[in-house]
Amino acid sequence: MGNSKLYVGNLSFKTSETDLRTHFSQFGTVSDVYVAMDKMTGRPRGFAFVTMGTPEEAKIAAEKINGVEFDGRPLTVNEARPKEEGSGRSFGGGGGGGGERRGGGGGFQRERRY
């Protein structure tokens, strides 16, 4: 694990940044906590990112906390993957088929022989 940023999933909606900071600080220095909020409702979305002081601390925290219950829910903790530019939810583009219909079907182009 070369990253000190952790993804924390399956959070209770009542878990705060302070709760997470306290919980993770058992395993090292917590340099940043971000609880994702829904822009429309203002409610938590059930996941967060916790940045530890070093990749080693992050690795230990992930091993100790992943799958362990916190605020009544077993947490999912793993190394946060950086967002990849251009990947993700691009639907469409290409897909083949559907566009050109050539040949087959319809008897309109047959030569008439009398």
Side-chain angles (χ1 to χ4, degrees):
M1 187 181 273
N3 190 348
S4 57
K5 189 172 192 177
L6 297 170
Y7 164 84
V8 184
N10 199 33
L11 281 179
S12 162
F13 293 122
K14 59 183 197 288
T15 302
S16 70
E17 289 183 13
T18 307
D19 297 335
L20 285 172
R21 186 177 293 276
T22 303
H23 193 55
F24 277 78
S25 65
Q26 304 171 72
F27 306 103
T29 307
V30 176
S31 58
D32 188 48
V33 177
Y34 169 74
V35 175
M37 302 297 269
D38 187 302
K39 288 183 179 74
M40 301 299 279
T41 64
R43 294 183 48 195
R45 293 180 57 198
F47 69 92
F49 293 98
V50 175
T51 307
M52 301 297 289
T54 66
E56 292 74 30
E57 289 173 344
K59 184 176 192 296
I60 292 165
E63 287 170 359
K64 300 284 186 192
I65 298 174
N66 186 40
V68 177
E69 210 168 277
F70 181 64
D71 269 351
R73 303 183 67 154
L75 297 182
T76 302
V77 181
N78 48 46
E79 184 176 359
R81 290 182 295 280
K83 272 189 187 169
E84 291 176 31
E85 290 301 317
S87 73
R89 308 198 187 291
S90 59
F91 299 110
E100 302 170 46
R101 302 230 189 275
R102 289 194 184 135
F108 302 111
Q109 295 166 336
R110 293 203 179 115
E111 287 181 38
R112 294 172 191 249
R113 293 197 177 130
Y114 294 93

